[in-house]
Amino acid sequence: MQGRKGIVIACALACGVLAWAADDGASVPALPLTALNGDDATIEPHGVLGAMLIVGFSRESSGQTQAWGMHIDEWAAERAGDGAALPAMHLPLASARTEDLLPVFSISVIGDVSRMMRGILRRIMKGVMPEEVEGSFFLAYEEAESWRGLAAVDDEDAAYVLRIDAEGSICARHAGPPSDETLEDLLAAPCPMDAD
């Protein structure tokens, strides 16, 4: 994210749908976002690992997006072992080029609302968000249709998880609730990572 160092073959799963994106040109870095502190931001994926994005499009989708955030933290904690706490909203991912963690960002696509409503929604979300994940949570007031296209939305009440490479190109998408199998498939997606 700006100012921060540092997000087709379809296979049906019991808990949702995972699809690998095959060079369809879909890219997310330039889409405008707003941080919970009100600052403007854009996606800035890790220079080697890329990022994972959890995207919600409705109030009803918040149950699945929250479940994804909790599942990711639990999954990472299980793999960290004793005494090796990982930062919230990060996942271990093997790479020959870095020992860094894969950043995970949560994006709530609000759409076009008045400036007053933007402030109210942002303050409400900031008030309920644990402090340790505030820097990983963003609001999308603009380009809602672009976000829908990138996520390939067909159910606005589902959570969408996008795996992006270091250039911001989408290399895998999932729609639906979390599971270990789905998360492992997203992490194993064919995202360019170790190429020079």
Side-chain angles (χ1 to χ4, degrees):
M1 297 296 156
Q2 188 174 15
R4 182 185 163 126
K5 291 182 183 176
I7 127 248
V8 178
I9 300 171
C11 55
L13 300 174
C15 60
V17 176
L18 176 70
W20 287 301
D23 292 329
D24 59 7
S27 186
V28 298
L31 292 178
L33 298 170
T34 301
L36 289 184
N37 65 4
D39 289 347
D40 292 338
T42 56
I43 296 295
E44 188 179 303
H46 185 280
V48 174
L49 303 177
M52 194 168 307
L53 311 178
I54 303 167
V55 188
F57 292 90
S58 70
R59 183 183 311 210
E60 290 75 15
S61 70
S62 65
Q64 286 188 18
T65 58
Q66 289 171 2
W68 264 104
M70 290 186 292
H71 189 83
I72 282 170
D73 280 344
E74 290 168 4
W75 190 91
E78 286 174 7
R79 279 140 188 86
D82 295 333
L86 298 178
M89 300 297 280
H90 284 81
L91 287 165
L93 188 63
S95 168
R97 290 184 49 203
T98 184
E99 292 182 12
D100 292 343
L101 301 170
L102 178 74
V104 180
F105 302 109
S106 186
I107 300 160
S108 183
V109 180
I110 305 294
D112 191 22
V113 297
S114 70
R115 236 177 241 290
M116 183 178 79
M117 281 306 297
R118 289 180 183 191
I120 290 170
L121 290 169
R122 189 173 45 78
R123 284 190 295 276
I124 288 170
M125 291 182 185
K126 185 173 172 62
V128 299
M129 195 68 51
E131 189 174 332
E132 64 271 14
V133 300
E134 279 186 16
S136 298
F137 192 90
F138 297 87
L139 304 169
Y141 300 121
E142 303 171 42
E143 303 286 348
E145 286 307 312
S146 295
W147 280 105
R148 285 184 183 90
L150 291 170
V153 172
D154 63 3
D155 177 4
E156 293 218 355
D157 296 341
Y160 289 82
V161 183
L162 309 178
R163 173 77 194 284
I164 62 174
D165 65 19
E167 300 298 318
S169 296
I170 298 170
C171 42
R173 296 178 183 91
H174 168 78
S179 71
D180 284 350
E181 181 182 10
T182 301
L183 181 53
E184 288 162 7
D185 285 346
L186 285 163
L187 292 173
C191 296
M193 188 167 63
D194 288 324
D196 291 327

